[in-house]
Amino acid sequence: MAMPGRNSRETMTSQKTESRPSSDAMALAEELRRSIGTFVRAIRQKTATGRSAPSETLGLLEREGAMSVAALAQRRSVTHQSMRVVVAQLMATGLVDRNPDPGDGRSWLVSLSDAGRAQLLRDRDVRAARIGQLLDATLTAAEQKRLRASVDLLDRISAAAGD
């Protein structure tokens, strides 16, 4: 819908211009994307806590709660069959539970088990310990203070991304 005093074409052009980041913001965005990606991959590799279909599924269940295999597949953008295999692996290792769906007696909900929650916490603790070691070994106290301020900025960007 056009704003009063403007035709639709002007409004669309204005919206495109307003949403286009500056070249400085684009350059920073690329540096940030590359730096965070490299950091996350290095920490996961050095701590043997890499990304996998099972670990990502556990994380999703922790963040969003119990859901059906179909919902898990949709949220992870994989086929239902692939997700059934992942859930079967997680069930065999005791990392998830399967219970009847109270809203649909023919369906089942998959949820994080206590063992699954403990595994997620162990992996996070290992990664956090490695990061802490690197902070102590690499950064001065003043640099750690600057980095702490950056965490607040990243949290603000993350919150805005969810809006």
Side-chain angles (χ1 to χ4, degrees):
M1 180 165 83
M3 295 174 58
R6 289 187 172 181
N7 66 34
S8 327
R9 187 178 200 164
E10 289 177 78
T11 302
M12 287 174 43
T13 304
S14 165
Q15 288 172 346
K16 286 181 186 175
T17 303
E18 291 172 2
S19 65
R20 183 173 296 146
S22 67
S23 60
D24 285 346
M26 282 298 294
L28 178 57
E30 178 53 28
E31 289 176 41
L32 190 58
R33 185 207 58 74
R34 181 200 47 76
S35 179
I36 290 172
T38 300
F39 176 73
V40 168
R41 284 187 298 278
I43 294 301
R44 286 187 179 276
Q45 180 185 16
K46 294 296 182 185
T47 59
T49 59
R51 285 176 49 173
S52 66
S55 69
E56 289 191 9
T57 301
L58 291 175
L60 179 60
L61 288 170
E62 181 193 39
R63 286 186 305 278
E64 299 190 15
M67 62 183 79
S68 68
V69 171
L72 281 167
Q74 182 180 20
R75 294 285 292 121
R76 296 239 16 267
S77 300
V78 299
T79 66
H80 188 274
Q81 179 62 28
S82 294
M83 185 51 63
R84 279 188 16 202
V85 171
V86 170
V87 168
Q89 292 169 341
L90 291 169
M91 286 182 61
T93 56
L95 299 177
V96 296
D97 294 321
R98 190 177 82 152
N99 296 299
D101 183 344
D104 180 356
R106 300 167 296 163
S107 297
W108 296 87
L109 294 179
V110 178
S111 61
L112 194 60
S113 69
D114 290 341
R117 190 168 284 103
Q119 180 66 50
L120 284 174
L121 292 175
R122 277 192 302 276
D123 288 351
R124 288 179 185 152
D125 286 347
V126 168
R127 289 191 299 267
R130 179 66 180 140
I131 293 167
Q133 292 165 347
L134 291 167
L135 293 175
D136 283 342
T138 309
L139 302 179
T140 66
E143 289 171 327
Q144 287 184 33
K145 186 175 180 180
R146 284 178 40 209
L147 185 57
R148 185 171 287 113
S150 298
V151 171
D152 292 337
L153 296 175
L154 289 170
D155 286 345
R156 282 179 37 204
I157 295 167
S158 295
D163 291 346

